[in-house]
Structures are given as C-alpha cells and as structure tokens.
Amino acid sequence: MEKKQTMLTIDNLHARVDDKEILRGINLTVKAGEVHAIMGENGSGKSTLAGVLAGRDAYEVTEGEVLFEGKDLLELDPEERAREGIFLAFQYPVEIPGVSNTYFLKAAVNAVRKHRGLPEYDARAFLKLVKEKTKLLHISDELLKRPVNEGFSGGEKKRNEIFQMAVLNPKLAILDETDSGLDIDALKAVADGVNALRSPERAVVVITHYQRLLNYIVPDYVHVLLRGQIVKSGGKELALELEEKGYDWLKDTVAEPQPA
Amino acid sequence: MTEVMERQNTYLAAFERMERELAASGTPAVHRLRKAAIARFVEMGFPGPKDEEWRFTPTAALARIPFDLAPAGEIDLAMEPGAIVCDLAEAMKNHPASVEPHLARYADWRKHPFIALNTAFIRGGAFIYVPPNTNLKAPVVVDFQAGYVGTAFVRHRRCLVVIGDNSRATIVERYSGLPGEIYLTNAVTEIIVGPGAHVDHYKVQREGDKAFHQATMQVQLGRASRFSSHAVTQGGQWVRNEINAVFEGEGGECILNGMYRASGEQVVDNHTFIDHAYPHCASHELYKGILDGKARGVFNGKIYVRQDAQKTDAKQTNQTLLLSDDATINTKPQLEIYADDVKCTHGATVGQLDAESIFYLRSRGIGLAEARSLLTYAFANDIVNRIQVAKVREELESSLLEAHHLPASESGKEEA
Ligand SMILES: Nc1ncnc2c1ncn2[C@@H]1O[C@H](COP(=O)(O)OP(=O)(O)OP(=O)(O)O)[C@@H](O)[C@H]1O
Ligand SMILES: [Mg+2]
C-alpha cells in the first residue's frame, strides 16, 4: 500500500488575541487524502484555528509551528498560503458591494495561476470552468453576476464559498461551519462540492457542530476542540457520541484557561 | 476686497460688451432677466469663507482669475421623436411659450452668485421638453465639451428639462475638457418633473485637471413623480456640485446618488438639499467619496422636512474612503425636521478599507496591493453599478478599472 504524504503538521500551536490566549497547544497532523472533522462548543477556538491557518492577522502566534507540505506556513502571507493551495471557507463570508462574483473569482484564479507559472485564463476558458462548477453547486447565473455575497441569503453565501473552493481547486480546504444555516438540498450540494474535490492528493478539514454533515462528507478522523486544545480524537463514530452526550463529559480533561 | 470687486466688474464689463449680442437671443423678457441677474451678481459678489455654505470650499483662486467669456459653441443634440430636444437659443426663439414659464424660475439667481452669473449670460444650452404621457426610450445625451480656446475662459452651461405628466425620460449630462487648460464651467440645470413622471438623470463629469466646475441642479418633483440622480465626479481641480430637490406634491420619490474620486490637490464639494414640502414623499441619498493625496472633500446634505410633510421617509448616507493621511473630508448631515410622524435617518462613515474584506480577498490568492485596488474600485463601482444606461455604466466601469490598474471586465462578453 502506498504511504500517504503528510500535508499539514500543527505542533503545539498557541495563539492569542490581545491578552487572551485562545489556542493553547494544538497538535494535529493531516495527511493527503484525509478528511478531518473538528467539533467543539461555541467559543472553543475552532474559527481561530482556521484563521491562524489562513493567515488572519488579528491573532498572534506565541508558540508552536505549522508546516504545510514541509514549508513554514506561519511565515507566509495569506495570499501566498492561498496560492500554495490552502482554502478557507469563511464562517461569515464577507460582502463586497461593487465587484461581481465572477470578476472577483477570475482575479483570484488568475493570481493563483500566475503564481504557479500558468498562463492566465482568458474569458472563454474561465467561463467554461465556471459553468462546470455552477452546475455542481446549483449556483445561478444571476448569483454570479451579483456583487460578491451582497444581499445573498445565509445559505447562498455558504454555497458561494464552496463554489469558490471548487473553482480554485485547493489542496487543503478548511470549511468553517459551512453547513450552518443550510437547507437539506443546499447541504447536499455543498457535500457534493466537497466530495468532488476529495482525492488522494487533497485533504479537507471540516469544522461543524452537526453530525448530519458528516453523513455526507464522511470523515476519517473527528477531533474535539475545547478551550483551545484538542481533547479527544477518534473515528467517525465519535461524532455520533458527541451528538448524544454533548461536551460536558470531556471538560474534566482540560484545565480552565488562566488569565495571562 | 477691491481686487475681488474688480473681478466682479470684469464680468459686468463682459456683460456690457456682449449685451447687444445677448439681447438678440430670446424675448425682451429674457433679456430683462439677464440684466436683473447681472445686477444681482455684482451686488452679491463671489461667496467667501465667511459664508457658512462655503466655509470649506475656498473660492479665492476662482475669484482671482479673470475668466473671459468663451465663444458660443454648438452642442451636439440628437433629435428625439415625440419630444423637443434642441439648443436653448433655438428654443427661446421657436418655443418661447414652453421655455419662458420655466426658465430661471426655480434655480434661485437672487440668492446664489454663480446662478446669477449663469443667468446673466443665458444664450445657449440644452432644452428638453417631453410632452405628457410620453415614454422616451433612448436617453437624451447633453455633451458639454470644453475644447481648446487658449486663455482662461468661462462657459455658462444651461439646461432646461421639462417632463410632462406621466412621462418617462432619461437624461445624461456630460462635462469634459482638456488637461492643463484653466477654465471655469458654471452650470445650471433646471428639471421639472411633472406629476406622475419618472426621470433618471446621470451626470458624468470628467473636466480637465485644471478646470473649475461649479454646478447647480434644481429639481422640481410633481405629485407622485420619481426622480433619480447619479453624479460621478472624476475631473477638475475645484469642483462644487449643488443639487436642490423640491417636492411639489405628495407621493414623490427622489434618489440622489453620487460618487467622486479626488487626489493631488483637488477640492470636491457636494451640497445637496432636499425640501420635503409635502407629505408621503421619500428621499434616498447615497454619496461615496474616495480621497487620496492632499485632496479635500466636502459633503453637506440638508434634508428639510416641513411641518405638513408627515410620513416623510428620508435616508441619507455618506461614506468616505481616505487613502492618505493628508486627505481630508468635511461631512455634515443637516436634518431639519418640523413634522412629527416621519422616518429620517442619516449616517456618515469616514475611514480606510475594511480589514476583514482585505483578508477575504487575500485568502483567495489576491495580493495585498491588488486587494486594496479591487476594494477601492468596488467602493466606487457600487454607485456606478446603479446606473441603468448600459453604455454610461460600462464606460465608467472600465475607466475605474483602468484607474485602479485592474484587468478589464469581460461581463459583456460573458453574457454573450
Ligand atoms: N478578534 C478577536 N478579538 C477578541 N476575541 C476574539 C477574537 N477572535 C476570537 N475571539 C475569542 O476567542 C474565542 C474563540 O473564538 P472562535 O471564533 O475561535 O470560536 P469558535 O470555536 O469558532 O466558536 P463558534 O462555534 O461559536 O463559531 C471566543 O471567546 C472569542 O470571543
Ligand atoms: Mg467559529
């Protein structure tokens, strides 16, 4: 059997905002081909972890290391990480009045292609790519022409994130609660989008509160994040157990954060 | 003071020199109007810093230059079936009964020196008359180009737009000029929107970089009429746009949107005044400005809700993006409300680009510099996007993209 390549290594990662330590020693290894789910109660640090990986500068990393395909990820600017193949589907996608979805996406795709030494897409090639992906995610032409996320419903915004992911075709996709607020059809469309991306060379990290999504995107591992640490990891059955028991039974395993 | 007085006298002297020629255009009534207006201008003089309405918009440089009257030029106006579209000089001659009841009746030359000056020199311009119950499908384009004439010239641009009851019209006013030319555009546009009529007005201002541009648009909104204005300012070293809209009946709706970009030492002033004189009228106003370099912006939005104007719905928003530490904006919402059952809101934001938006773009692979350009473009384009005339919208959109060093949009091709 072929040995899976390590894609992402997070080693003892600590991060803070102002004086508040939010991530308190995260350890996680993601190999190519894997799907990891991260669950955990509100405020436990899931989005912070996702943000640190994508390069959001509100956080200060105080300790630890993150390697992406052997490179020191924390050294890279957010755009460099994206060009290297990291994609974050935002929990709260940003509205950008004044730029159409299509124009924005084309700028992004071409920035990535340029970085990889590929020729920029012309209108025709880009359109072909977009058409293919809109079908998969049931994104209407009308939505494509509208300004980025402006006035989109909650579900439309989430679907638009996955649509962007499908077009950008990342190596590592991090989905932050992409399933929240989705109706059943949208949930399936999002799952289809993610599953279409799955391959032995790619990996997915899904942050979610609900086991339901994991019926469609079946994870190899489930992790519980509590108070800034991963307190338990297991297989897909852990999600079912959490659904049933909540998080309280895990709280004894991790100390309350002390004020810095 | 005496120097400025002399300048006023330059205009008076020009008037006296031109008087015979001016008098030949229009009826004696029109010429009496001119004479009253020049006298009033001399009385008032140019506004100065002590004038509350002009506090942040210095007129000293403008007042100092002895602008000479530019030779009368032709303006290019396409005929419109079902309407009268012609040069104002021709209209004064051939359609005095349609012109005189309206001309200079609304834009108050007794109170405003620049309107007085413009009124004193009325001869050409644009006259647009749409009879009642007429739907004018194509936009009427009035293109004021300041060509090369040499020294400092002034052009008093004048438009009179009369839209009959229940009619529909779209008007595009364009102003352009040459780089390096010092000239003054002093424009007055009067628009009468008849009861039940619907008028969309667009102003595309791309004067030369040394131009002075002073403009007043006066709009009278009849009962249940609808008027929208989109004013895009990109040119001129000194710009002042004034829009006064008055509801003259119930149930009217007025939209005033504007966008301006200024850099270097440009001064751009937008003064708007909406007079809610009748109940059940709505006004929505959104002005966006982008200031770079040492540019100075002024926004003054006055909303006046009279005692009888119950159920007024007025919303005003002014957003300014400051791209440099030396750029400044003076923004002043002025709500005067004398009715008690109304909904009036206003909001002003001044700031830099939103950090989360920058991060969002970067997280998709777009570099920091391009992300900033794209967001600055987006900020401006948000107004341009609202323009319903495709040709005008697309032209402005591409000029904005170009100004921000962004690739051209292929939206047209993609749709095909
Ligand atoms: N920029 C910030 N400034 C201040 N506090 C922050 C900031 N970002 C995160 N926090 C705090 O850090 C903690 C973790 O937040 P985070 O968004 O990572 O939680 P989460 O696990 O994603 O929660 P949820 O399930 O509600 O999305 C919270 O207490 C939050 O208030
Ligand atoms: Mg979160």
Side-chain angles (χ1 to χ4, degrees):
Chain A
M1 210 180 97
E2 173 196 6
K3 196 164 164 283
K4 285 192 279 186
Q5 291 284 319
T6 296
M7 181 178 271
L8 180 76
T9 317
I10 304 174
D11 182 19
N12 190 31
L13 182 67
H14 289 251
R16 60 164 66 198
V17 176
D18 304 326
D19 282 346
K20 190 172 160 196
E21 185 160 49
I22 301 170
L23 301 184
R24 304 188 302 141
I26 302 266
N27 294 296
L28 180 68
T29 301
V30 178
K31 294 194 169 120
E34 293 177 347
V35 173
H36 290 243
I38 297 178
M39 305 182 80
E41 59 184 15
N42 294 135
S44 56
K46 302 180 300 296
S47 294
T48 303
L49 175 61
V52 169
L53 295 177
R56 190 192 293 278
D57 64 8
Y59 312 113
E60 185 196 347
V61 174
T62 51
E63 230 185 299
E65 190 181 50
V66 181
L67 295 179
F68 178 69
E69 298 190 313
K71 286 187 205 90
D72 182 354
L73 190 68
L74 301 177
E75 282 295 294
L76 302 180
D77 285 334
E79 58 270 34
E80 293 171 320
R81 301 181 195 197
R83 293 165 190 171
E84 290 293 331
I86 290 183
F87 180 90
L88 170 63
F90 281 47
Q91 182 173 3
Y92 305 108
V94 179
E95 298 193 5
I96 307 176
V99 181
S100 78
N101 235 341
T102 323
Y103 188 89
F104 163 63
L105 203 50
K106 192 169 173 214
V109 170
N110 280 335
V112 173
R113 285 179 70 84
K114 218 158 135 188
H115 172 77
R116 296 190 183 150
L118 299 168
E120 293 189 12
Y121 275 135
D122 61 17
R124 181 190 287 265
F126 179 71
L127 188 63
K128 190 164 165 270
L129 176 69
V130 162
K131 280 266 139 68
E132 211 175 280
K133 306 298 181 187
T134 46
K135 242 184 244 141
L136 179 68
L137 287 152
H138 311 294
I139 298 266
S140 67
D141 276 3
E142 192 253 352
L143 224 51
L144 280 177
K145 280 182 206 153
R146 270 168 54 183
V148 182
N149 293 326
E150 195 196 21
F152 285 26
S153 74
E156 285 169 341
K157 283 183 184 169
K158 297 299 175 85
R159 239 185 306 158
N160 195 32
E161 292 290 285
I162 299 305
F163 167 65
Q164 290 175 21
M165 180 196 78
V167 172
L168 290 167
N169 202 16
K171 290 181 196 155
L172 173 65
I174 304 162
L175 315 185
D176 192 355
E177 291 197 30
T178 305
D179 54 333
S180 305
L182 293 185
D183 64 36
I184 286 290
D185 290 340
L187 187 74
K188 282 183 188 149
V190 162
D192 287 347
V194 175
N195 288 327
L197 188 85
R198 287 183 78 162
S199 82
E201 297 84 47
R202 299 175 200 285
V204 183
V205 174
V206 213
I207 295 168
T208 181
H209 286 293
Y210 307 104
Q211 198 275 330
R212 196 181 59 179
L213 175 71
L214 305 179
N215 289 334
Y216 298 103
I217 306 171
V218 181
D220 301 295
Y221 301 95
V222 175
H223 310 277
V224 181
L225 189 63
L226 259 181
R227 294 169 185 162
Q229 294 177 346
I230 289 180
V231 296
K232 192 167 180 62
S233 298
K236 61 173 187 276
E237 35 338 300
L238 178 56
L240 287 164
E241 196 178 350
L242 291 168
E243 184 107 321
E244 200 181 306
K245 301 209 283 196
Y247 295 106
D248 277 353
W249 61 288
L250 292 165
K251 279 187 181 156
D252 300 338
T253 58
V254 57
E256 284 231 34
Q258 300 300 312
Chain B
M1 193 65 212
T2 49
E3 194 198 355
V4 169
M5 198 58 214
E6 257 169 54
R7 290 312 163 223
Q8 278 150 233
N9 290 338
T10 336
Y11 291 100
L12 179 61
F15 182 82
E16 281 161 357
R17 205 168 57 239
M18 294 292 299
E19 193 167 353
R20 199 183 292 254
E21 201 180 308
L22 285 167
S25 173
T27 61
V30 172
H31 195 60
R32 280 196 298 276
L33 171 70
R34 287 191 194 102
K35 285 173 86 148
I38 192 71
R40 187 68 190 121
F41 168 73
V42 172
E43 246 169 65
M44 284 186 284
F46 283 111
K50 288 201 198 90
D51 209 318
E52 182 56 30
E53 292 295 311
W54 292 83
R55 246 177 80 199
F56 301 107
T57 311
T59 53
L62 188 158
R64 209 177 302 124
I65 302 169
F67 289 104
D68 205 350
L69 198 61
E74 300 268 299
I75 56 163
D76 210 5
L77 287 166
M79 296 289 289
E80 282 301 327
I84 302 172
V85 177
C86 66
D87 195 298
L88 186 58
E90 190 191 319
M92 287 192 291
K93 196 163 116 205
N94 299 337
H95 312 282
S98 303
V99 173
E100 283 178 28
H102 297 295
L103 185 67
R105 302 282 163 172
Y106 312 101
D108 197 348
W109 54 270
R110 287 176 192 87
K111 289 206 184 112
H112 194 302
F114 286 100
I115 299 177
L117 198 56
N118 177 295
T119 304
F121 288 96
I122 287 178
R123 52 181 170 176
F127 178 65
I128 299 164
Y129 172 81
V130 179
N133 305 309
T134 307
N135 181 357
L136 219 57
K137 290 211 173 65
V140 179
V141 182
V142 183
D143 192 0
F144 289 121
Q145 297 179 23
Y148 176 78
V149 275
T151 58
F153 279 99
V154 52
R155 294 174 182 82
H156 301 287
R157 306 298 202 182
R158 188 103 194 179
C159 296
L160 177 61
V161 180
V162 183
I163 309 298
D165 301 10
N166 306 313
S167 287
R168 175 100 178 74
T170 301
I171 318 285
V172 182
E173 264 182 69
R174 313 176 70 105
Y175 292 84
S176 60
L178 300 171
E181 289 280 293
I182 297 172
Y183 62 91
L184 166 63
T185 297
N186 179 25
V188 174
T189 294
E190 290 173 296
I191 301 180
I192 296 89
V193 187
H198 178 170
V199 176
D200 292 322
H201 180 272
Y202 301 99
K203 176 171 169 181
V204 181
Q205 195 267 74
R206 304 213 70 165
E207 301 273 25
D209 60 339
K210 292 280 183 281
F212 293 77
H213 180 95
Q214 156 68 42
T216 300
M217 178 159 79
Q218 176 75 42
V219 188
Q220 310 297 117
L221 285 102
R223 191 184 45 75
S225 70
R226 195 167 171 238
F227 175 79
S228 81
S229 155
H230 289 77
V232 176
T233 295
Q234 300 195 78
Q237 64 159 309
W238 183 101
V239 178
R240 171 143 164 148
N241 299 312
E242 296 178 38
I243 300 180
N244 306 314
V246 185
F247 289 106
E248 295 192 312
E250 296 190 15
E253 186 188 342
C254 178
I255 293 172
L256 303 183
N257 292 335
M259 189 281 280
Y260 61 94
R261 296 171 56 232
S263 58
E265 312 238 327
Q266 272 178 291
V267 177
V268 179
D269 175 344
N270 283 290
H271 261 68
T272 65
F273 172 39
I274 303 173
D275 187 350
H276 279 270
Y278 279 82
H280 294 283
C281 292
S283 65
H284 294 278
E285 186 171 10
L286 173 62
Y287 266 74
K288 288 185 151 195
I290 301 174
L291 298 168
D292 204 348
K294 292 184 183 167
R296 276 184 296 151
V298 178
F299 176 80
N300 188 300
K302 186 165 171 178
I303 296 175
Y304 193 84
V305 182
R306 294 182 192 240
Q307 204 169 354
D308 292 343
Q310 302 297 1
K311 304 287 179 197
T312 287
D313 177 0
K315 185 175 177 200
Q316 179 189 93
T317 311
N318 173 230
Q319 300 172 339
T320 313
L321 200 54
L322 293 179
L323 298 180
S324 93
D325 292 341
D326 296 328
T328 55
I329 171 81
N330 284 290
T331 174
K332 182 173 163 197
Q334 235 182 312
L335 270 57
E336 286 184 40
I337 301 168
Y338 299 99
D340 46 24
D341 184 12
V342 301
K343 201 170 91 189
C344 293
T345 61
H346 68 88
T349 59
V350 177
Q352 282 86 43
L353 294 167
D354 173 52
E356 182 68 3
S357 304
I358 294 179
F359 175 58
Y360 190 63
L361 265 56
R362 295 177 83 188
S363 79
R364 300 300 182 247
I366 297 169
L368 178 59
E370 192 181 351
R372 294 182 144 280
S373 302
L374 195 55
L375 290 172
T376 310
Y377 154 78
F379 181 84
N381 199 43
D382 180 35
I383 296 292
V384 170
N385 259 340
R386 297 162 200 253
I387 294 175
Q388 298 295 315
V389 181
K391 218 174 139 227
V392 174
R393 184 182 60 243
E394 282 159 15
E395 170 204 310
L396 284 169
E397 205 172 274
S398 5
S399 78
L400 281 178
L401 284 170
E402 208 181 298
H404 292 94
H405 311 290
L406 292 165
S409 163
E410 278 144 27
S411 53
K413 274 184 235 164
E414 274 156 21
E415 276 162 42

